[in-house]
Amino acid sequence: SAMVSEYQYYNSARYLNDLPNYIKAKDLIKEMLEGKRALSIKDAYFLAESAYGNLRLSYEEYSKIIQNNANFIRQWLIENGYDVNDPEALHLGIQKSMTDTLWLSQNLMDESLVRNMKKGHVPYHYDYIDYTSTKDRRNYFATKTIATGTGQCHTLPVLYLILAEALGVE
């Protein structure tokens, strides 16, 4: 019965081994909500997902990709004549980065190849493979979307919020 399997799960070695990670994540998020730690959507999702373990990205990699995305959006907006202090422009930049292939007009020198290259950004795509995360729970994680550029109805809106936070816009 369901009650027996639930009892077995909560007494299993896997659950007991993972429990400290969940408690740590809960305590850190609680500190955010109590004002003891800065509120951060990015950090809250990482903490919650890392409690599950076995993420595709370290916190440093996760943070760097988010910051690189925010920097790209800012630069694209500037190059296209938008005011990066205008919240509407920032939201446009997020939307464009999530739906369109974008290029920066400035050329970047790649010294290893000794040629000029334009820097581009490929949009995020909907992942139709295991979008309900029945095969791998991590497919429902924002870290998976940030690592792979693919997500679904849960992670793509979360990514939007994370990028808005990184750009300092509500």
Side-chain angles (χ1 to χ4, degrees), residues 10-169:
Y10 287 121
N11 288 292
S12 70
R14 179 178 178 198
Y15 173 79
L16 295 173
N17 287 335
D18 286 347
L19 187 58
N21 296 329
Y22 287 101
I23 292 170
K24 179 183 175 188
K26 178 189 70 100
D27 290 345
L28 291 171
I29 292 169
K30 185 177 175 192
E31 287 178 13
M32 283 184 202
L33 297 173
E34 292 172 343
K36 297 176 184 172
R37 175 183 291 271
L39 281 173
S40 170
I41 295 165
K42 175 187 82 144
D43 289 353
Y45 271 90
F46 190 85
L47 289 167
E49 293 174 8
S50 65
Y52 183 82
N54 211 12
L55 297 181
R56 290 177 169 88
L57 296 170
S58 69
Y59 180 76
E60 292 74 24
E61 293 167 324
Y62 172 77
S63 296
K64 184 177 180 183
I65 292 169
I66 292 165
Q67 193 56 55
N68 287 345
N69 273 269
N71 292 343
F72 185 95
I73 291 166
R74 253 191 224 96
Q75 186 62 36
W76 183 86
L77 288 168
I78 290 167
E79 289 187 11
N80 285 278
Y82 293 98
D83 177 1
V84 292
N85 297 309
D86 178 6
E88 294 298 321
L90 292 168
H91 282 288
L92 172 69
I94 296 168
Q95 291 168 17
K96 295 288 270 180
S97 77
M98 292 184 72
T99 59
D100 297 340
T101 299
L102 303 176
W103 297 93
L104 296 180
S105 61
Q106 69 180 18
N107 288 333
L108 304 171
M109 181 60 96
D110 182 335
E111 294 180 17
S112 65
L113 300 174
V114 192
R115 65 185 172 115
N116 287 330
M117 299 184 336
K118 288 188 182 265
K119 185 172 181 178
H121 173 80
V122 177
Y124 289 85
H125 291 81
Y126 197 89
D127 184 0
Y128 291 97
I129 301 169
D130 194 28
Y131 62 91
T132 60
S133 73
T134 51
K135 292 180 183 167
D136 185 347
R137 184 73 181 140
R138 296 173 303 153
N139 286 333
Y140 206 62
F141 289 178
T143 48
K144 180 263 186 186
T145 294
I146 291 166
T148 66
T150 64
Q152 33 54 9
C153 295
H154 169 70
T155 60
L156 291 169
V158 168
L159 173 63
Y160 190 103
L161 291 171
I162 289 170
L163 290 173
E165 179 179 80
L167 289 163
V169 66

